[in-house]
Amino acid sequence: MNSRSLLSKIAMYLILLVMGVLVISPFLWMLSVSFDRVSNMRIPFPPSFIPSEFAIFNYELVFENGRILRAYLNSTFVTLASVTLQVSAALLGGYAFSKGKFRGKKALFILVLATMMIPIEARLIPLYQMFNASGLLNTLWPVIVPSILYGFGVFLCKQYFDRIPDSLREAAQIDGAGEFRTFFQVYLPLAGPIAATMIILSFMGNWNEFVWPLVVLNDENLHTIPLFLASFSLENGTALAGMTMALATMSVLPIIIAFLFLQRYIIQSIALSGIKE
């Protein structure tokens, strides 16, 4: 029985190793091409994970163009503002639906969940008309403001706050604390894991957002990283593969950094808060 268990574990690890290699291979090839000096003249084929002539030449060319720095600033501003609004609204909404007592709470919560089922394609025209009427088109605000509606985040926060006993809220109310004070001083300090999880998900979603910014941002000076990468690829195709891969590497670097720092909180957010009822 022990040998059978050992063999099953070895087989499982081998399968996971093979799947991991298959998943990470495109990223390793992208990194290899970005550091290959001759990749702008021809794409290495068959694909190789070791650059034929290692150099940072492609990255130097990328940073010589000031547009990528402007695109980085635009993406950073949009992402940080959107993440702040999304996470704040989700935490407050999740707390209200979990601990609040008001008429129509279940119906309103179902309505919030229903927003998750409406694809962005169905909302493009109404959102475009709304921002066009308000005169905010071709600014960064149409990209930021709709991010407040984060139904999935509200759902996650509600499920997390449901696991925290109501006795904490009752004790705070006995001490004379109002709802906002109870939330900020009692429940918010316990919501670190779920907040970190939402920051990761929100950061990835907003940093990679492409369709909606493409509709509302026509000025190249306002382009975010995905729009800049798409326009560069459209202009050059595969003629400058090395520069394109260097741009792609720079575009995913912030997401990788954020994930490496916050990944452990994903598991913690699934577990109980550690407070026994």
Side-chain angles (χ1 to χ4, degrees):
M1 190 65 183
N2 292 332
S3 59
R4 181 181 302 178
S5 177
L6 179 62
L7 290 175
S8 64
K9 285 186 177 181
I10 293 175
M12 180 184 66
Y13 287 137
L14 287 177
I15 294 174
L16 291 176
L17 178 63
V18 172
M19 296 301 296
V21 171
L22 291 176
V23 170
I24 202 173
S25 293
F27 296 97
L28 294 178
W29 181 74
M30 175 185 70
L31 194 63
S32 173
V33 174
S34 70
F35 282 106
D36 195 338
R37 185 180 181 88
V38 300
S39 58
N40 284 328
M41 295 181 289
R42 58 179 177 82
I43 300 179
F45 189 85
S48 174
F49 297 113
I50 301 177
S52 59
E53 186 177 343
F54 185 87
I56 59 173
F57 175 71
N58 294 319
Y59 291 91
E60 292 176 348
L61 291 179
V62 166
F63 281 103
E64 282 182 359
N65 188 343
R67 287 180 57 193
I68 188 174
L69 297 178
R70 191 181 302 112
Y72 250 102
L73 290 176
N74 293 334
S75 287
T76 301
F77 175 73
V78 168
T79 302
L80 292 180
S82 300
V83 168
T84 302
L85 291 174
Q86 280 188 339
V87 175
S88 300
L91 287 171
L92 289 169
Y95 173 77
F97 283 115
S98 175
K99 305 303 180 184
K101 296 180 181 179
F102 52 91
R103 185 174 301 176
K105 184 173 73 171
K106 291 185 178 180
L108 187 58
F109 184 64
I110 293 175
L111 184 62
V112 171
L113 295 181
T115 61
M116 299 166 52
M117 307 174 190
I118 304 176
I120 182 61
E121 291 79 8
R123 294 178 285 161
L124 284 179
I125 295 178
L127 284 174
Y128 182 87
Q129 291 178 340
M130 181 180 68
F131 286 108
N132 185 34
S134 61
L136 293 176
L137 284 182
N138 213 25
T139 66
L140 295 178
W141 295 112
V143 186
I144 297 173
V145 174
S147 62
I148 300 176
L149 301 176
Y150 192 27
F152 181 66
V154 174
F155 171 75
L156 286 180
C157 289
K158 179 187 180 301
Q159 298 301 111
Y160 186 85
F161 285 129
D162 283 345
R163 297 173 176 177
I164 301 179
D166 294 337
S167 57
L168 294 178
R169 179 170 175 266
E170 295 170 356
Q173 289 179 339
I174 292 174
D175 291 338
E179 289 294 350
F180 281 99
R181 185 178 177 184
T182 301
F183 171 75
F184 284 106
Q185 294 188 357
V186 178
Y187 284 89
L188 186 59
L190 299 175
I194 191 63
T197 301
M198 286 193 300
I199 289 174
I200 294 175
L201 299 176
S202 178
F203 187 92
M204 293 174 60
N206 286 285
W207 184 269
N208 292 324
E209 184 67 32
F210 177 75
V211 176
W212 177 237
L214 180 65
V215 173
V216 297
L217 300 178
N218 298 321
D219 189 354
E220 290 185 354
N221 294 326
L222 297 175
H223 278 185
T224 57
I225 286 292
L227 294 182
F228 174 69
L229 180 59
S231 63
F232 182 88
S233 302
L234 187 62
E235 293 171 2
N236 300 281
T238 58
L240 299 175
M243 287 186 63
T244 302
M245 292 304 180
L247 284 172
T249 302
M250 295 300 299
S251 67
V252 302
L253 188 60
I255 298 176
I256 295 175
I257 294 174
F259 181 79
L260 290 177
F261 275 101
L262 300 175
Q263 61 175 331
R264 64 190 182 93
Y265 289 106
I266 295 179
I267 299 176
Q268 291 184 17
S269 66
I270 299 174
L272 294 175
S273 61
I275 302 175
K276 298 182 179 180
E277 300 189 32

